[in-house]
Amino acid sequence: MTSALRDDLATITVLARRDLLRFFRQPSRLVGALMQPVVFWLLIGGGFASTFQYAVAPGLGYMQYFYPGIVVMMVLFASIFGTITVIEDRHAGFLQSVLVSPGSRAAVVLGKSLGVSSVGLTQAALFLALAPLAGFTYADIDWATLTAFLVLGAVGLAAFGFALAWITDSSQAYHAVMSIVLLPAWILSGAMFPPGEPGSALASLLHYNPMSYIVSGVRGALQGDARTLAPLAGSVAADLTWVGLFAAASVALATWTVYKRR
Amino acid sequence: MPGEAPLLSVRGLRGGYRKRTVLQGVDFDVARGEIFGLLGPNGSGKSTTFLALTGLLRPDALDLRLDGVLIEAGGREMRRRMGVVFQTPSVDPNLSPREHLALTARLHSVPTDKARARIEALLTFADLADRADDKVKTLSGGMRRRLELARALVHSPSILVLDEPTVGLDHASFERTWTRLTELREREGLTMVMTTHRPEEAARCDRLAILDGGRIVATDTPARLQAAVSGDVITLTARDPSELAAWLKAHLDLDARVTPDAVVIVCERGHALIPRIVEALPAGRLETVNLQRPSLAEVFSHLTGRAFFSAENPA
């Protein structure tokens, strides 16, 4: 192993490990992170259940429709809260010391993205234990596909959040982008409601939104191979390719940003 | 150290931020085993120099040599061989000192058995052995600063770069920090470059560069820089320094500089002037009188024609 590769692997391990250590050491964060999706699912899901009951595929309740959307929301929120701290961490925190250690900038991006996505995936895994309550049986779930979509989606969203934190360099600006871009992208991804008739503005927008591919993949995998609920009609392989490309592009964007604007 | 090639050589450092160029071409050499200071008031460019050296800011131009070999500022080679002490915190409140040192050893690929011994030695050195496993958020400010120093040493760097290492510390902690730094230099032969805005700290350095407006105005040992300013410095404290300065001008024709809490007079034969001032002044006007050789703050004023301390750069 070359010394450069050794340094990069060390940087990735240290940053990922640190995010997990921090997460498990803050009990309040742990409880909040687990309760919030349950509350969202029950309150929003329960509230919209009557409104949406005819819009969703017949025979399926809104609570079941909304459940995969919540899983993706957890990964998205973990990415947002895990990377907004980069702004402070880079000027007055631990990250400063990582930036002057021998690992490359790409390793910093990968390590942080893996740490943040591990936190999001841990939360999602715990929430997935409730899948039977939403009408998905463990035996029918395509776990391999589900994991692939969640891992790639989480890394992509975390790296995107990292780039955003580095570019904006202010939590106010980050919050603005979060409310104007990230949350609407989740709402319009098919996570909360079906996209409507093919050809409609919302339905066409779906194809340009990386989050709809994640939601489609997760929803399809939870159903096993039925995929009647997936907002996008494409094949699993095609969806997974798009999510993979999104993850690669986000990591590349974040790395380029860190190199360019240090 | 004449004759020996410098460990670090900085030439033509220019750079700054997107809309503002700060450094106008900074040159200096740091000899092996030397403590080299960069002294300047806020805005003089010392922090920008720190950021450029550590690779946290990309300079517009810089010819940087380590051991005579041209290297990229803040590049991988530089990052391997340098230890960095930041002015702002670079520790995680939720991790313990031991975890910080272990993670840093990992970041620098220090072999496990070597790291274990080094971490224990550094915990003792930083006087943190009995708090090694407590979370950083439970440590005092002084303990955190000591952890920052210990952490920069885990990989046995050949050069330590420090940004205002004693900022915010009281006098006792300042002294203890300096005892540690000189001990490190003796024991490990460590070379140090530090930025500071404290003249009394700059006076402890082996050599220093005085920065003003993004340029170096002088580089020498503190003693030689101080010798260039002739005369004595008399510092008078009073309840109303500006009123006292006006009185000195009117009655004794003395030109005095007013600082937030004192009046400073630079003159020849200060010991002869003091009795005249004390006798002429009505009783009770003066609080203290102090006579000393010019400090590096006076050297700065002498070189640049401007006061070192101001509202933006308080003492």
Side-chain angles (χ1 to χ4, degrees):
Chain A
M1 184 161 49
T2 67
S3 54
L5 181 61
R6 185 195 62 198
D7 291 338
D8 286 358
L9 285 176
T11 301
I12 293 171
T13 323
V14 164
L15 277 173
R17 196 175 134 71
R18 175 209 176 203
D19 263 334
L20 283 170
L21 273 176
R22 279 162 60 87
F23 179 67
F24 287 108
R25 269 194 202 162
Q26 293 168 282
S28 56
R29 206 176 143 199
L30 205 64
V31 172
L34 294 177
M35 289 310 292
Q36 186 211 32
V38 176
V39 170
F40 266 54
W41 184 47
L42 294 179
L43 292 188
I44 300 182
F48 282 170
S50 51
T51 315
F52 282 123
Q53 61 184 327
Y54 302 112
V56 185
L60 290 159
Y62 183 73
M63 294 295 274
Q64 183 174 18
Y65 180 85
F66 191 38
Y67 182 84
I70 289 285
V71 175
V72 176
M73 181 202 79
M74 294 179 77
V75 171
L76 172 67
F77 278 16
S79 301
I80 291 173
F81 298 127
T83 55
I84 198 165
T85 54
V86 165
I87 296 163
E88 199 200 339
D89 207 25
R90 147 191 193 197
H91 296 293
F94 186 82
L95 195 58
Q96 290 199 100
S97 70
V98 180
L99 291 170
V100 296
S101 69
S104 66
R105 297 300 192 246
V108 171
V109 169
L110 266 180
K112 184 70 193 173
S113 305
L114 287 177
V116 167
S117 44
S118 308
V119 169
L121 291 171
T122 307
Q123 292 169 238
L126 291 169
F127 185 67
L128 280 169
L130 305 181
L133 295 181
F136 299 107
T137 49
Y138 291 144
D140 289 341
I141 297 174
D142 179 352
W143 290 99
T145 308
L146 180 65
T147 310
F149 272 98
L150 283 177
V151 168
L152 287 176
V155 169
L157 290 171
F160 188 80
F162 188 107
L164 191 58
W166 208 274
I167 295 168
T168 58
D169 206 14
S170 106
S171 3
Q172 289 89 338
Y174 189 112
H175 273 292
V177 178
M178 176 183 90
S179 341
I180 298 167
V181 180
L182 294 178
L183 295 183
W186 173 75
I187 293 169
L188 299 178
S189 68
M192 284 190 83
F193 46 80
E197 294 304 309
S200 71
L202 262 181
S204 8
L205 206 60
L206 219 58
H207 294 275
Y208 301 100
N209 180 358
M211 249 178 285
S212 35
Y213 294 90
I214 308 175
V215 170
S216 274
V218 169
R219 188 165 278 154
L222 280 170
Q223 274 190 290
D225 39 53
R227 280 178 74 79
T228 48
L229 290 174
L232 288 165
S235 69
V236 176
D239 285 358
L240 192 60
T241 308
W242 284 116
V243 176
L245 284 175
F246 165 66
S250 295
V251 169
L253 171 71
T255 307
W256 180 78
T257 313
V258 178
Y259 268 110
K260 200 73 193 159
R261 301 171 59 151
R262 54 182 187 185
Chain B
M1 278 157 233
E4 200 185 326
L7 176 69
L8 186 76
S9 152
V10 173
R11 288 288 173 278
L13 170 55
R14 280 167 203 285
Y17 309 92
R18 238 165 295 162
K19 287 184 186 132
R20 191 165 53 91
T21 304
V22 178
L23 302 172
Q24 315 281 347
V26 166
D27 305 323
F28 61 88
D29 286 335
V30 182
R32 206 174 299 278
E34 179 174 59
I35 300 183
F36 187 86
L38 291 162
L39 172 70
N42 291 337
S44 60
K46 56 187 189 317
S47 291
T48 313
T49 306
F50 168 82
L51 291 174
L53 282 181
T54 51
L56 296 172
L57 178 125
R58 198 186 292 279
D60 298 334
L62 170 59
D63 176 309
L64 183 75
R65 282 162 205 274
L66 193 62
D67 266 332
V69 181
L70 190 67
I71 60 165
E72 184 199 344
R76 210 189 275 266
E77 186 56 27
M78 181 78 179
R79 298 202 299 270
R80 277 201 184 112
R81 295 188 51 188
M82 137 188 99
V84 180
V85 179
F86 293 91
Q87 182 186 160
T88 50
S90 67
V91 289
D92 187 322
N94 286 302
L95 303 181
S96 73
R98 197 190 300 281
E99 282 168 336
H100 276 93
L101 300 183
L103 289 176
T104 308
R106 189 75 209 279
L107 280 174
H108 285 270
S109 305
V110 181
T112 320
D113 49 336
K114 221 174 132 189
R116 207 168 292 140
R118 183 81 176 156
I119 289 169
E120 291 314 312
L122 284 171
L123 284 170
T124 311
F125 167 77
D127 211 1
L128 288 170
D130 54 341
R131 302 295 300 273
D133 297 306
D134 296 347
K135 284 183 189 171
V136 163
K137 63 180 169 196
T138 67
L139 303 184
S140 71
M143 289 173 182
R144 290 182 204 195
R145 294 298 301 161
R146 301 207 294 273
L147 173 60
E148 301 262 2
L149 177 60
R151 204 259 306 273
L153 299 167
V154 171
H155 57 296
S156 309
S158 50
I159 186 160
L160 192 61
V161 186
L162 310 97
D163 190 18
E164 305 267 3
T166 61
V167 78
L169 294 186
D170 60 24
H171 183 70
S173 311
F174 172 86
E175 288 299 334
R176 279 198 296 272
T177 305
W178 268 92
T179 310
R180 280 201 175 80
L181 292 179
T182 35
E183 184 193 323
L184 266 178
R185 195 254 304 265
E186 304 306 316
R187 207 181 53 202
E188 307 198 1
L190 197 56
T191 307
M192 299 179 214
V193 182
M194 70 168 67
T195 67
T196 181
H197 76 289
R198 296 172 78 160
E200 73 274 26
E201 177 156 81
R204 306 279 183 105
C205 297
D206 298 320
R207 279 192 321 127
L208 67 130
I210 298 184
L211 273 159
D212 182 46
R215 290 173 203 280
I216 288 181
V217 291
T219 310
D220 214 327
T221 63
R224 274 207 288 269
L225 286 168
Q226 281 168 300
V229 182
S230 67
D232 296 322
V233 178
I234 300 172
T235 310
L236 307 170
T237 61
R239 264 193 302 280
D240 187 346
S242 25
E243 189 199 341
L244 176 64
W247 190 94
L248 290 167
K249 180 70 185 165
H251 293 82
L252 297 170
D253 196 27
L254 287 171
D255 288 312
R257 185 159 53 79
V258 182
T259 72
D261 51 2
V263 172
V264 180
I265 304 162
V266 180
C267 62
E268 300 296 330
R269 296 169 46 75
H271 62 280
L273 181 60
I274 287 175
R276 277 180 57 210
I277 296 175
V278 175
E279 276 163 27
L281 267 172
R285 290 289 290 274
L286 272 183
E287 283 171 353
T288 68
V289 180
N290 180 328
L291 172 72
Q292 64 189 69
R293 291 279 303 134
S295 80
L296 288 162
E298 271 77 42
V299 175
F300 179 87
S301 307
H302 173 77
L303 288 167
T304 63
R306 291 185 299 108
F308 185 81
F309 295 113
S310 60
E312 297 82 52
N313 192 55

